[in-house]
Amino acid sequence: MQSLGISVLFKGMNMQRLFDGLLVTAKIAFISIVIGSFLGIVLGVIWTSKSKWIRSVCRIYLEVFRIIPILVWLFIMYFGVTTALNLHVSGEITSIIVFTLWGAAEMGDIVRGALESLPKHQIESGKAIGLSFWGLYRYILIPQAIRRMLPGAINLATRMVKTTSLVVLIGVIDVIKVGQQIIEFSRLEVPTASFWVYGFVFILYFIICYPLSMLAKRLENKWNG
Amino acid sequence: MNLNWQFIMDSLPLYREAGWTTLKLGFLGILISLIIGFVCSIVLYFKVKVLKSIVQVYIELSRNTPLLIQLFFLYFGLTKLGIALSENACAIIGLSFLGGSYMAEAYRSGLEAISKTQIESGLSIGLNKAQLVRYVIFPQAFSVSMPSLGANCIFLLKETSIVGAISVVDLMNITKDLIGMYYQTFEALFMLVAVYVVIILPLSLLLTWLERKVRYAEFGN
């Protein structure tokens, strides 16, 4: 007798294994978001510089990530750079590097946009009362800019979480790979396994991303409205 | 790093064909997304009963899940329930499913940006509803949503890089094959990047230009 398809999710250690896979995905996303945001803030501050050269270098850095798909970057890092430098780097490290660099570029753009949207008199007043460069950023610009950039930053985080699904294509054992293993293993007993497993992973991603995008939307309405 | 130019020349036809596949899938996906998005945003704007909640659920589902999973579900999951689709059909459906919600949001931001006074002024000078939509609402909404529509087009075109995972013979797929079969890693990656730049850079420049062109319709310019 054929068992009910959905039971494949609960058989043996399957559920446990799927969550272990999810943890790998989450770890990659978390590390890249944290480091990427930090680098992005630094980049964003540099980007507001008056020098044309610095601005164009930042711009080119961002455009390079905007024009070439992230999956291509993963390939370049995983196959190209490792071969060129004769290194062996795991898929996990590769994806963390790519996502961090990409996150920094996008975050830099968000921070730049937020800083430049602040009225000029804020900077001038700050300078007029004798604040140093750091004081100006620490007490005047950053607190105001955070409000303007937070919705965008959260949306970026959601995008990065969604993009971590690509790591399976460079051989990382993430939640999708575990799902594929389960499907392979139960091919004969549960022919509909792929429907249930992929459906389950679909819902998992939704459960992670939906609250984040709701939060971004609410903050946007609250602060801009 | 010395590139093997002979190999690059030999693989050129492969990349050309795969590039066309990417363009075709991307073009169809974008076109259908634009239509789905337009319909969804109209439903949301006029607050059509029942349909409105369906559209909202669709938008949230499609925006908060990765394309790769959507494709796997379509391609491997649904076949098990007896709905067998070719990989190209799956790719187009997946892209449209994802893109539709992004386009809907873009149109919506445009429609919401039109102030009430614009509509009231239009009515007060005696425009009927069709004229109001044609001469007042549409040009302004379009010019506001144009930048996000353009960004979505590029986003979708880039997302086509994922369809190789469901065995569509696209750029990623042949690159992986060439690396696996001939170990010509740099040549294959070089061609991959070159083709993407050739496809996306002109589009990106075109959209920037177009954006400036339609800006005239914005109120106050």
Side-chain angles (χ1 to χ4, degrees):
Chain A
M1 200 192 93
Q2 245 183 33
S3 54
L4 204 62
I6 197 169
S7 65
V8 72
L9 295 174
F10 305 102
K11 224 178 346 187
M13 298 284 287
N14 284 0
M15 194 49 96
Q16 176 69 39
R17 288 179 58 205
L18 280 170
F19 276 103
D20 286 346
L22 190 66
L23 219 59
V24 173
T25 313
K27 196 176 77 187
I28 294 174
F30 182 77
I31 297 175
S32 341
I33 289 171
V34 170
I35 306 178
S37 309
F38 177 74
L39 292 178
I41 292 171
V42 175
L43 182 72
V45 172
I46 295 173
W47 204 327
T48 54
S49 140
K50 287 202 176 66
S51 152
K52 230 182 182 171
W53 283 101
I54 295 178
R55 296 180 74 96
S56 5
V57 169
C58 293
R59 178 92 213 160
I60 289 168
Y61 175 61
L62 174 69
E63 288 301 326
V64 158
F65 280 98
R66 288 231 170 123
I67 285 175
I68 297 171
I70 296 302
L71 187 55
V72 176
W73 278 114
L74 287 173
F75 269 44
I76 292 174
M77 276 290 172
Y78 191 63
F79 296 113
V81 174
T82 47
T83 316
L85 303 177
N86 214 355
L87 282 172
H88 182 78
V89 184
S90 73
E92 255 175 75
I93 303 288
T94 309
S95 27
I96 289 176
I97 294 173
V98 170
F99 290 139
T100 303
L101 292 175
W102 168 52
E106 294 282 358
M107 188 68 188
D109 193 37
I110 293 171
V111 172
R112 176 196 61 88
L115 286 174
E116 283 180 351
S117 74
L118 295 176
K120 245 206 172 101
H121 62 75
Q122 291 286 334
I123 301 175
E124 284 157 5
S125 320
K127 281 183 180 159
I129 58 168
L131 286 177
S132 66
F133 176 82
W134 292 114
L136 190 66
Y137 273 93
R138 165 76 184 76
Y139 297 108
I140 311 269
L141 298 179
I142 302 266
Q144 293 186 68
I146 281 181
R147 283 189 154 208
R148 298 186 186 213
M149 69 186 218
L150 211 53
I154 296 172
N155 275 331
L156 176 64
T158 329
R159 266 170 72 202
M160 286 173 78
V161 170
K162 283 190 290 177
T163 314
T164 51
S165 62
L166 301 185
V167 297
V168 66
L169 301 176
I170 56 165
V172 178
I173 314 281
D174 74 334
V175 62
I176 301 173
K177 189 75 209 170
V178 173
Q180 285 171 345
Q181 289 167 349
I182 292 173
I183 292 166
E184 286 294 319
F185 185 73
S186 41
R187 175 140 289 171
L188 294 175
E189 299 161 61
V190 193
T192 56
S194 54
F195 176 81
W196 295 104
V197 170
Y198 287 132
F200 181 69
V201 178
F202 184 88
I203 292 167
L204 275 182
Y205 267 102
F206 181 74
I207 291 173
I208 298 172
C209 295
Y210 182 64
L212 282 174
S213 38
M214 278 295 107
L215 181 66
K217 209 179 255 178
R218 276 186 53 190
L219 289 179
E220 211 166 327
N221 287 340
K222 196 171 131 196
W223 286 339
N224 292 352
Chain B
M1 200 191 317
N2 276 322
L3 291 177
N4 179 350
W5 289 101
Q6 189 55 47
F7 183 80
I8 289 181
M9 294 314 283
D10 289 345
S11 65
L12 213 55
L14 274 178
Y15 277 97
R16 196 168 48 210
E17 201 150 305
W20 275 117
T21 309
T22 295
L23 268 180
K24 252 187 290 186
L25 293 178
F27 179 74
L28 281 172
I30 288 169
L31 198 69
I32 301 173
S33 307
L34 283 168
I35 296 167
I36 295 177
F38 188 71
V39 173
C40 289
S41 66
I42 295 287
V43 167
L44 290 179
Y45 189 66
F46 291 106
K47 301 194 174 71
V48 184
K49 273 179 209 147
V50 189
L51 278 181
K52 186 178 160 231
S53 352
I54 297 175
V55 167
Q56 276 169 339
V57 170
Y58 156 66
I59 289 180
E60 294 305 337
L61 270 183
S62 121
R63 280 183 74 93
N64 289 308
T65 48
L67 178 63
L68 187 65
I69 292 291
Q70 296 171 3
L71 289 175
F72 277 171
F73 186 75
L74 279 172
Y75 189 62
F76 298 112
L78 286 187
T79 41
K80 298 294 173 202
L81 298 189
I83 308 165
L85 295 162
S86 75
E87 56 266 19
N88 282 343
C90 276
I92 292 170
I93 294 173
L95 282 172
S96 318
F97 179 80
L98 178 79
S101 64
Y102 279 80
M103 296 297 185
E105 295 279 301
Y107 286 122
R108 202 180 52 107
S109 66
L111 288 172
E112 277 177 2
I114 298 167
S115 64
K116 257 217 161 83
T117 51
Q118 288 284 316
I119 294 170
E120 281 161 6
S121 321
L123 288 173
S124 70
I125 58 168
L127 297 179
N128 64 30
K129 223 164 186 181
Q131 286 171 324
L132 193 68
V133 170
R134 165 73 185 80
Y135 295 108
V136 180
I137 297 179
F138 188 71
Q140 295 188 63
F142 187 64
S143 83
V144 173
S145 44
M146 187 60 207
S148 8
L149 288 177
N152 288 343
C153 288
I154 292 190
F155 161 74
L156 282 175
L157 207 51
K158 278 164 62 188
E159 288 286 296
T160 55
S161 60
I162 295 167
V163 300
I166 55 167
S167 57
V168 175
V169 187
D170 79 328
L171 293 164
M172 301 308 291
N173 216 333
I174 59 165
T175 305
K176 221 176 163 180
D177 276 357
L178 289 179
I179 292 175
M181 282 191 291
Y182 303 105
Y183 297 109
Q184 303 279 4
T185 311
F186 302 123
E187 289 77 4
L189 288 174
F190 171 78
M191 286 300 291
L192 176 67
V193 172
V195 177
Y196 268 114
V197 168
V198 165
I199 292 176
I200 293 171
L201 193 60
L203 186 71
S204 165
L205 294 175
L206 176 78
L207 286 169
T208 316
W209 176 79
L210 212 61
E211 212 174 282
R212 241 177 299 149
K213 276 266 156 194
V214 294
R215 267 287 156 83
Y216 78 92
E218 255 166 67
F219 180 67
N221 274 10

